[in-house]
Amino acid sequence: MTEQQQRGRTNRRRFLLITGLALPAVGGLTAYAAWPQPYRHEVRTEPEPLNRRFAPYLGGLTDAHWLGYDIDGTGDDRTIPSPDYRVRLVGVAHLPAGGAAAIVNDPGRTFVPAAPSALPAPLKPYLPAVAAWRHSPEFDAYANHKGSGSDASSSGRYLFDTALDLVHFDVLYAST
């Protein structure tokens, strides 16, 4: 074998080695980029969207920590939104001074001690462990009926702590 053939064979081996390493690496990076990533919800703190929905029956909310997300969505912008959606609003917020007591002491509703629903992990630090939550199915029915618009229906729970003037809400809005 001549020296030129030897160099050609060595160059071919280098090419195959480099290509053999590069192709799986590029393929792996492409697969990672295309693989669905878990949707990470960020805690929102602005009370205005909540007040637009909840003010008629809760009053003005402040110091809110909440999430609002499509429970059926993947969280990416690469899909066409479905005409049928279910949006979950879940969080905790302060009511005006005496607001929780005014709601809980309403003689038309029976409030009993209750535990909050399972919270998404980002909201857990904002739910006080010392809160004494009270719940009323009658208030839920009132708020869900009053809170539903013409194109969406709502269902959910509202819990109140009178000592801290807090409301914990976990509401699902559905549209078809």
Side-chain angles (χ1 to χ4, degrees):
M1 189 180 306
T2 68
E3 187 178 323
Q4 188 176 5
Q5 289 175 329
Q6 188 77 16
R7 260 189 298 205
R9 184 176 275 177
T10 302
N11 287 341
R12 191 172 338 121
R13 285 182 182 159
R14 275 191 201 135
F15 173 77
L16 291 174
L17 178 65
I18 291 170
T19 305
L21 293 176
L23 284 177
V26 169
L29 290 173
T30 303
Y32 176 77
W35 195 266
Q37 300 297 318
Y39 182 54
R40 306 215 191 286
H41 304 291
E42 291 191 29
V43 174
R44 297 177 65 175
T45 57
E46 71 277 13
E48 294 82 18
L50 299 176
N51 285 329
R52 282 194 297 272
R53 292 194 184 268
F54 299 148
Y57 45 93
L58 291 178
L61 301 176
T62 60
D63 194 28
H65 294 91
W66 61 282
L67 297 172
Y69 59 92
D70 183 349
I71 64 170
D72 299 317
T74 60
D76 61 13
D77 294 330
R78 294 181 284 182
T79 60
I80 298 172
S82 169
D84 299 330
Y85 66 90
R86 296 183 301 161
V87 174
R88 181 183 184 197
L89 293 179
V90 58
V92 63
H94 277 93
L95 294 162
I103 292 170
V104 169
N105 294 329
D106 184 340
R109 299 183 184 102
T110 304
F111 280 84
V112 296
S117 58
L119 280 177
L123 285 176
K124 288 182 181 179
Y126 304 106
L127 198 67
V130 298
W133 298 109
R134 314 253 327 142
H135 173 252
S136 168
E138 296 94 356
F139 183 84
D140 292 347
Y142 163 73
N144 290 328
H145 171 71
K146 190 160 181 126
S148 63
S150 60
D151 63 342
S153 63
S154 66
S155 62
R157 293 180 70 203
Y158 300 84
L159 283 76
F160 299 91
D161 178 85
T162 56
L164 300 173
D165 268 323
L166 287 176
V167 60
H168 163 53
F169 51 90
D170 192 347
V171 184
L172 186 67
Y173 288 92
S175 175
T176 56

